[in-house]
């Protein structure tokens, strides 16, 4: 059989190099320890496993954002869904011009407010959710709609929620312009994070109070590594709702928003990588 | 005003020194992003013609970032050693390249010249050099440093053992330390990027490394790569700090954005020196740099990313570091787009630092959104081995699970040492033999049934 993957290597095949005896310490870490060796090099099975992980991570970066599919997954919420595009026309431009990914293109710039109005969206809502492909469309495909649904399910009835915005070729700061155009008090940007070798599906959530173009990262709170094998959506949604509640109550976000939330498995940073 | 003197392309003019430097720089995405790159390939080469005619002395009279408002410029100008500079003081940038490649530029001459060079002179000449020139000249520059072992000797290659873990879990970190030591890595430093930057977290990790280092008498040094202020706080609490780490950049405003200045670095250096923990030498600082850092902080002062990077080496050399490395592919494709740009930048950074007398190593690395893969890293790693890099990074399986990027692996370091016949730091190599991790011929073939290796396995929980 061709394409059996690493499991096809028989453990008792004398031609297959053995893992190092300390590979059992992998219970403590996902680091690639105890890989074994062939001379000074890497055994074939390990070489291919790495290449597969890299291929998946790269595919996540370059995968087109399927906004229609995400919109379908958001349908049960009965919220207007609007699709926008940044000034980056394609992936190559997005990767080389982070400034383009932070601005709406001309059509989205002029059309967004009317589109929201025409769709019957809340004007001046408490919060707008923005789903952007960022550096991993896969993260948004797999975790984005779920994160919005679970977060909204936990929010009290006193929250007015704006349209859900799906953004192509978007970076975190694109949310500032979007939120200011739909006049939202708070923005929540759910965006694909830069994929690691073993975390191609990792979503980040960025919370900003009074979002407007020019906001700095110090004005945001971030929940990172949202994915089944990292910080699961159900936990992340609880944490996001906590942060949103504190944010609205204190009229601020970012480093000054005291984060006393405690939960199992917390992976949290106030500031993530520069976007 | 500069123009290219070659026939037929005098139509290219460049208003000032920083423009010539920027336009002469080999193409990279960060200079395009900053709007500083040459518009065409022809303009780029015309700028190199113009640059080749500029006297080195010009860089002493014309500051690229004003002296009055930038302490890095003041450091460069005030610490310049004119006597050391004399040997090349009459040369243009083009002449300087010729001289560097000539037989006159011996390892001893280059070492004596280093304090007479400014970062801008070195960045300038690098822009006229091909990759092989960068390698050929860097090979002649040895910068040797020491703490508990000796790093940078000819024919040697150090490895930083980087046992990062996303939650700083002690058992997870210990597992990666074991893995690295069993592959002969860790002579440059056992250095952890902590997930949490706090004195408590730093002290806990320092104690973890110190424990195994003492238990097995490993002749190496430890470092937790927290912010310099965290390290100062940890030292105030009597933590076992060997090396103080800090990311640095080439302008005062970029360093501001890192929350540091020269006085703070001096304070940290003094505090770490006063602990007297080094046995072979007293180099206590560890710095990281990387092209694009200043631009990403919007603090590049209109300089191209390679020139402003080189200015960071003036900051480094003022504090006698044990280790400096550029993290060349970490920052992403908006600064270095692909394997070709990363390779070029890695060789430039290594060359420029070595020529300035800085003990340079390189984190040969890439991210998953860059157009690069392990073949590119193999190439750059091999080139840097030939160029004589002081050290490289070792991460289990090349996969840093905390910082989410790919560096070089322990296996990669074994390959490089073996392919180019490079040895670990002498004190560490001796230890590897004693531990029976190295065999009689110096290959990494650990014997796992010896009492010392058993002790190491027991420490990590593997026995």
């Amino acid at each position: 059989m061709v394409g059996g993957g690493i499991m096809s290597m028989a453990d008792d095949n004398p031609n297959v190099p053995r893992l190092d005896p300390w590979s059992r310490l992998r219970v403590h870490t996902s680091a690639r320890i105890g890989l074994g060796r062939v001379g000074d090099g890497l055994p074939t099975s390990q070489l291919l496993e790495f290449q597969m992980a890299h291929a998946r991570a790269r595919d996540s970066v370059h995968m087109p954002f399927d906004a229609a599919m995400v919109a379908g997954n958001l349908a049960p919420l009965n919220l207007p869904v609007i699709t926008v595009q940044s000034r980056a026309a394609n992936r190559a431009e997005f990767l080389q011009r982070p400034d383009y990914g932070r601005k709406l293109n001309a059509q989205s710039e002029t059309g967004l407010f009317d589109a929201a109005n025409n769709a019957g969206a809340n004007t001046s809502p408490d919060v707008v959710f923005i789903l952007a492909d960022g550096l991993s469309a896969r993260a948004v495909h797999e975790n984005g709609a779920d994160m919005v649904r679970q977060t909204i399910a936990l929010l009290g009835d006193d929250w007015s929620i704006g349209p859900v915005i799906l953004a192509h070729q978007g970076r975190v700061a694109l949310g500032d312009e979007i939120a200011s155009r739909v006049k939202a008090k708070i923005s929540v940007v759910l965006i694909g994070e830069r994929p690691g070798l073993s975390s191609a599906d990792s979503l980040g959530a960025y919370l900003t109070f009074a979002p407007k173009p020019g906001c700095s990262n110090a004005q945001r709170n971030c929940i990172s590594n949202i994915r089944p094998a990292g910080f699961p959506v159900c936990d992340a949604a609880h944490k996001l709702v906590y942060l949103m509640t504190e944010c609205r109550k204190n009229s601020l976000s970012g480093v000054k928003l005291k984060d006393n939330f405690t939960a199992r498995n917390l992976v949290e940073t106030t500031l993530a990588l520069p976007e | 005003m500069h123009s290219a003197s070659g026939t037929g392309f005098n139509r290219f003019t460049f208003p000032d020194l920083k423009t010539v430097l920027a336009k002469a720089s080999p193409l990279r995405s960060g200079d395009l992003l900053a709007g500083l790159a040459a518009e065409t390939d022809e303009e780029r080469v015309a700028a190199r013609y113009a640059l080749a005619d500029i006297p080195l002395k010009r860089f002493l009279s014309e500051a690229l970032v004003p002296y009055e408002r930038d302490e890095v410029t003041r450091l460069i100008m005030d610490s310049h050693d004119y006597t050391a500079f004399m040997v090349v003081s009459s040369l243009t940038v083009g002449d300087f390249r010729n001289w560097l490649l000539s037989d006159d530029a011996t390892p001893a001459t280059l070492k004596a010249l280093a304090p007479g060079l400014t970062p801008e002179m070195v960045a300038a000449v690098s822009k006229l050099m091909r990759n092989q020139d960068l390698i050929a000249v860097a090979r002649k520059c040895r910068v040797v440093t020491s703490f508990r072992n000796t790093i940078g000797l000819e024919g040697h290659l150090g490895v930083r053992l980087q046992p990062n873990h996303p939650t700083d879990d002690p058992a997870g970190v210990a597992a990666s330390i074991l893995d690295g030591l069993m592959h002969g890595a860790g002579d440059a430093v056992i250095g952890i990027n902590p997930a949490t930057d706090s004195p408590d977290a730093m002290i806990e990790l320092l104690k973890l490394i110190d424990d195994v280092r003492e238990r097995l008498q490993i002749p190496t040094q430890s470092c937790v790569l927290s912010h310099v202020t965290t390290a100062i706080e940890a030292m105030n609490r009597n933590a076992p700090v060997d090396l103080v780490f800090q990311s640095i950049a080439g302008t005062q405003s970029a360093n501001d954005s890192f929350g540091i200045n020269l006085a703070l670095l001096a304070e940290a250096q003094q505090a770490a020196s006063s602990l007297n923990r080094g046995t072979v030498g007293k180099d206590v600082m560890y710095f990281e740099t990387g092209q694009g850092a200043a631009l990403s902080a919007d603090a590049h002062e209109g300089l191209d990313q390679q020139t402003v990077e080189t200015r960071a080496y003036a900051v480094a050399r003022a504090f006698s570091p044990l280790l400096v490395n550029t993290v060349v592919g970490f920052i992403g494709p908006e600064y270095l787009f692909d394997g070709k740009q990363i390779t070029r930048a890695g060789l430039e950074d290594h060359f420029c630092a070595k020529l300035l007398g800085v003990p340079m190593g390189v984190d040969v690395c890439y991210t998953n959104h860059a157009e690069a893969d392990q073949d590119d890293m193999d190439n750059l790693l091999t080139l840097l081995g030939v160029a004589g890099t002081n050290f490289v990074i070792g991460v289990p399986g090349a996969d840093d699970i905390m910082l989410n990027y790919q560096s070089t692996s322990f296996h990669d370091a074994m390959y490089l040492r073996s392919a180019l016949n490079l040895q670990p730091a002498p004190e560490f190599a001796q230890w590897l033999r004693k531990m029976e991790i190295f065999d009689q011929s110096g290959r990494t073939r650990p014997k796992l049934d010896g009492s010392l290796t058993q002790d190491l396995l027991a420490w990590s929980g593997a026995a």
Side-chain angles (χ1 to χ4, degrees):
Chain A
M1 189 180 109
V2 175
I6 55 168
M7 298 314 290
S8 66
M9 303 280 188
D11 283 346
D12 53 358
N13 180 346
N15 295 320
V16 176
R18 297 197 171 281
L19 294 174
D20 296 311
W22 59 90
S23 63
R24 73 177 82 103
L25 293 179
R26 281 202 176 198
V27 295
H28 300 301
T29 179
S30 57
R32 291 166 195 259
I33 60 167
L35 301 180
R37 76 183 84 205
V38 281
D40 293 317
L42 202 60
T44 304
S45 58
Q46 302 297 340
L47 173 85
L48 291 175
E49 190 176 320
F50 183 99
Q51 288 187 359
M52 183 57 84
H54 186 229
R56 286 183 175 146
R58 281 185 55 79
D59 286 347
S60 302
V61 172
H62 294 278
M63 183 183 291
F65 181 31
D66 189 345
M69 187 263 282
V70 175
N73 292 337
L74 290 165
L77 287 171
N78 279 322
L79 286 169
V81 176
I82 298 165
T83 301
V84 297
Q85 164 106 26
S86 80
R87 277 189 57 193
N90 52 51
R91 269 287 103 165
E93 197 166 65
F94 175 81
L95 291 173
Q96 290 181 74
R97 294 300 303 257
D99 50 334
Y100 287 5
R102 298 184 193 117
K103 290 194 191 83
L104 288 172
N105 73 4
Q107 194 188 348
S108 299
E109 196 175 15
T110 52
L112 175 58
F113 185 75
D114 288 345
N117 241 348
N118 296 340
N122 266 326
T123 49
S124 310
D126 288 325
V127 61
V128 59
F129 289 92
I130 297 148
L131 280 70
D133 44 8
L135 287 166
S136 171
R138 185 171 152 198
V140 186
H141 293 163
E142 295 183 8
N143 305 309
D146 210 19
M147 185 69 190
V148 176
R149 290 208 309 260
Q150 294 204 32
T151 303
I152 288 177
L154 292 168
L155 282 177
D157 291 338
D158 59 334
W159 281 82
S160 66
I161 298 167
V164 180
I165 311 291
L166 306 181
H168 286 275
Q169 313 291 5
R171 291 194 184 254
V172 173
L174 184 68
D176 298 334
E177 181 179 358
I178 292 170
S180 66
R181 286 189 183 276
V182 301
K183 305 184 194 309
K185 288 191 191 75
I186 295 170
S187 70
V188 172
V189 177
L190 301 171
I191 188 164
E193 298 186 315
R194 192 180 79 191
L197 264 200
S198 313
S199 56
D201 56 346
S202 183
L203 191 76
Y206 289 80
L207 174 82
T208 313
F209 182 79
K212 58 176 186 299
C215 280
S216 79
N217 281 342
Q219 292 166 263
R220 310 187 203 286
N221 297 84
C222 169
I223 305 172
S224 185
N225 200 29
I226 303 170
R227 62 193 178 99
F231 193 30
V233 165
C234 56
D235 294 342
H238 274 99
K239 170 148 189 170
L240 179 57
V241 168
Y242 165 82
L243 287 173
M244 288 170 69
T245 307
E246 291 297 302
C247 171
R248 190 173 67 166
K249 191 164 77 190
N250 299 300
S251 294
L252 59 86
S253 60
V255 287
K256 288 184 198 147
L257 183 61
K258 200 144 181 85
D259 180 4
N260 293 317
F261 184 81
T262 51
R264 64 196 160 91
N265 268 340
L266 263 197
V267 179
E268 190 273 336
T269 51
T270 313
L271 285 175
L273 290 164
E275 269 294 332
Chain B
M1 186 77 84
H2 299 272
S3 61
S5 61
T7 320
F9 40 83
N10 293 328
R11 61 197 172 84
F12 292 106
T13 55
F14 310 99
D16 53 25
L17 206 45
K18 67 167 86 169
T19 306
V20 182
L21 286 165
K23 302 245 176 188
S25 218
L27 178 67
R28 66 205 62 200
S29 48
D31 290 339
L32 290 169
L33 179 64
L36 296 169
E39 305 259 326
T40 61
D41 287 348
E42 191 182 0
E43 188 188 20
R44 182 170 300 110
V45 180
R48 289 180 192 162
Y49 270 90
L51 181 59
D53 284 345
I54 293 174
L56 289 179
K57 273 184 185 158
R58 233 345 249 291
F59 294 97
L60 297 176
S61 58
E62 191 174 328
L64 298 183
V65 183
Y67 184 94
E68 297 71 28
R69 62 173 173 82
D70 188 283
E71 66 169 359
V72 178
T73 300
R74 292 197 288 277
L75 171 69
I76 292 166
M77 295 298 191
D78 296 350
S79 63
H80 181 253
D81 181 340
Y82 201 90
T83 312
F85 176 61
M86 288 296 280
V87 63
V88 295
S89 62
S90 63
L91 303 183
T92 62
V93 177
D95 299 333
F96 185 38
R97 175 184 170 278
N98 290 332
W99 182 85
L100 285 171
L101 287 162
S102 77
D103 297 340
D104 292 341
T106 63
T109 338
L110 290 169
K111 191 178 167 67
L113 170 63
L117 295 175
T118 67
E120 290 82 357
M121 295 175 191
V122 171
V125 76
S126 78
K127 294 173 197 294
L128 302 182
M129 296 171 87
R130 280 169 50 195
N131 285 1
Q132 68 163 256
D133 302 340
L134 298 173
I135 293 168
V137 177
R139 270 177 72 82
K140 298 196 274 188
C141 304
R142 303 301 333 175
V143 185
V144 179
T145 60
S146 55
F147 187 76
R148 279 195 199 95
N149 57 29
T150 313
I151 298 167
L153 295 166
E154 186 167 8
H156 291 71
L157 173 76
V159 183
R160 168 182 163 194
L161 199 172
Q162 184 169 303
N164 294 346
H165 188 279
T167 59
D168 296 337
D169 177 65
V173 171
S176 290
I177 290 176
L178 167 73
D179 197 54
L181 293 173
M182 285 296 193
H183 290 87
D187 50 346
V189 62
I190 299 175
I192 307 173
N193 298 88
T196 306
D197 192 326
S198 74
D200 288 340
M202 181 176 186
I203 291 168
E204 189 179 343
L205 290 170
L206 283 171
K207 284 182 173 164
L208 175 77
I209 311 175
D210 222 41
D211 180 45
V212 68
R213 191 185 60 72
E214 292 277 354
R215 177 166 170 166
L216 291 162
Q217 292 295 300
I218 312 175
T220 191
Q221 35 283 333
S222 60
C223 187
V224 173
L225 285 74
S226 301
H227 192 265
V228 62
T229 51
T230 310
I232 290 171
E233 173 63 24
M235 286 188 280
N236 287 341
R237 296 200 213 162
N238 299 316
V241 173
D242 288 346
L243 305 183
V244 173
F245 169 82
Q246 184 55 47
S247 292
I248 55 171
T251 64
Q252 180 175 334
S253 45
N255 285 329
D256 268 350
S257 80
F258 290 158
I260 60 157
N261 53 50
L262 300 177
L264 190 58
L265 295 177
E267 181 191 340
Q269 183 194 16
Q270 191 166 18
S273 291
S274 71
L275 300 179
N276 278 316
R277 294 176 58 83
T279 50
V280 183
K282 294 199 67 165
D283 302 316
V284 296
M285 300 301 282
Y286 175 16
F287 296 119
E288 277 187 351
T289 69
Q291 292 189 28
L295 176 60
S296 74
D298 198 20
H300 61 298
E301 302 276 3
L303 298 183
D304 69 87
Q305 72 180 29
Q306 191 259 333
T307 300
V308 75
E309 162 74 7
T310 308
R311 285 168 53 99
Y313 310 152
V315 175
R317 77 173 167 180
F319 300 99
S320 305
L322 180 77
L323 307 164
V324 178
N325 66 263
T326 170
V327 194
V328 70
F330 184 75
I331 194 159
E334 60 269 44
Y335 302 96
L336 295 168
F337 185 66
D338 57 13
K340 182 181 171 75
Q341 294 184 8
I342 292 170
T343 300
R344 173 73 198 181
L347 294 174
E348 287 168 347
D349 292 354
H350 177 256
F351 160 83
C352 289
K354 285 288 179 68
L355 198 53
L356 287 166
V358 169
M360 196 61 151
V362 180
D363 189 348
V364 174
C365 64
Y366 64 108
T367 58
N368 287 317
H369 61 320
E371 286 298 315
D373 61 19
Q374 288 206 294
D375 290 334
D376 297 304
M377 299 303 109
D378 289 346
N379 293 348
L380 178 54
L381 179 70
T382 307
L383 296 175
L384 286 164
V386 177
T389 184
N390 277 26
F391 67 101
V392 295
I393 306 295
V395 178
D399 176 11
D400 190 308
I401 55 171
M402 205 285 280
L403 295 171
N404 278 335
Y405 77 121
Q406 285 91 254
S407 181
T408 42
S409 68
F410 302 135
H411 291 75
D412 293 334
M414 287 195 301
Y415 144 76
L416 193 61
R417 282 175 173 167
S418 165
L420 299 177
N421 193 23
L422 301 170
Q423 305 302 314
E427 301 85 351
F428 194 79
Q430 198 179 8
W431 179 81
L432 289 169
R433 283 198 164 79
K434 184 183 84 180
M435 289 292 291
E436 297 184 290
I437 291 172
F438 268 18
D439 67 11
Q440 285 311 308
S441 55
R443 296 181 308 178
T444 315
R445 302 287 183 271
K447 260 177 78 174
L448 297 180
D449 48 4
S451 65
L452 288 169
T453 2
Q454 282 295 317
D455 196 22
L456 176 56
L457 289 165
W459 169 79
S460 69

